[in-house]
């Protein structure tokens, strides 16, 4: 029997009020925080964006991965609305781990930039409510600060 343990500092990191943000993260950090999320009271979503090459596909992938309500309109305004009102899935905090985002970044840089802006606006919105919203893009995204956790 294998017992999965998570580093205590990963749970503590998620519980820090200042953790909210959009970051790049190594696969090890993303894995540690994915495992720590539920213990920190977070709803955790790991979404593979590897097939997203444009806004239409991106919205479809995000809607499925985040379990958006049926009224989700599949556009930037609807994405902003859903990311700032998670009333159908309330939690003490939210952790989004987006994998494969470099595919979208290469295929449609403007779409990728808009996604980052919407995510950053969601972070700001949740901060006003004193709820942490943290988004990790696994892989290399030097335009974002690096978030690390000791594993």
């Amino acid at each position: 029997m294998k017992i999965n343990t998570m580093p205590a500092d990963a749970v503590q990191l998620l519980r820090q009020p200042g953790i909210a943000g959009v970051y790049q993260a190594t696969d090890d950090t993303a894995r540690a925080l994915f495992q720590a999320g539920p213990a920190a009271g977070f709803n955790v979503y790991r979404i593979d964006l590897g097939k997203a090459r444009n806004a239409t596909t991106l919205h479809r992938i995000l809607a499925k991965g985040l379990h958006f309500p049926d009224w989700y309109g599949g556009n930037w305004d609807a994405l902003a609305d859903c990311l700032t009102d998670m009333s159908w899935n309330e939690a003490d905090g939210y952790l989004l781990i987006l994998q494969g985002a470099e595919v979208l970044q290469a295929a449609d840089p403007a779409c990728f930039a808009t996604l980052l802006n919407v995510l950053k606006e969601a972070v700001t919105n949740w901060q006003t409510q004193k709820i942490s919203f943290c988004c990790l893009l696994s892989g290399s995204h030097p335009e974002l600060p690096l978030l690390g956790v000791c594993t």
Side-chain angles (χ1 to χ4, degrees), residues 48-73:
D48 184 356
L49 299 181
K51 293 184 179 178
R53 290 177 174 73
N54 57 49
T56 302
T57 308
L58 172 68
H59 288 289
R60 188 170 43 248
I61 291 169
L62 290 174
K64 182 178 180 184
L66 291 164
H67 313 287
F68 283 165
D70 292 338
W71 55 260
Y72 177 65

Side-chain angles (χ1 to χ4, degrees), residues 55-149:
T56 302
T57 308
L58 172 68
H59 288 289
R60 188 170 43 248
I61 291 169
L62 290 174
K64 182 178 180 184
L66 291 164
H67 313 287
F68 283 165
D70 292 338
W71 55 260
Y72 177 65
N75 58 58
W76 296 116
D77 288 336
L79 179 61
D81 289 345
C82 283
L83 288 178
T84 58
D85 175 11
M86 302 281 272
S87 57
W88 68 91
N89 207 0
E90 292 180 356
D92 293 337
Y94 300 93
L95 174 62
L96 278 60
I97 300 171
L98 304 178
Q99 301 169 303
E102 52 278 333
V103 172
L104 178 65
Q105 187 174 21
D108 192 339
C111 179
F112 179 77
T114 302
L115 173 63
L116 290 183
N117 287 335
V118 170
L119 291 169
K120 290 173 183 176
E121 288 173 10
V123 167
T124 301
N125 178 277
W126 283 109
Q127 284 175 323
T128 64
Q129 299 177 55
K130 309 259 189 280
I131 294 175
S132 186
F133 183 91
C134 186
C135 182
L136 306 179
L137 278 73
S138 63
S140 178
H141 296 279
E143 68 279 5
L144 298 172
L146 179 64
L147 181 65
V149 64

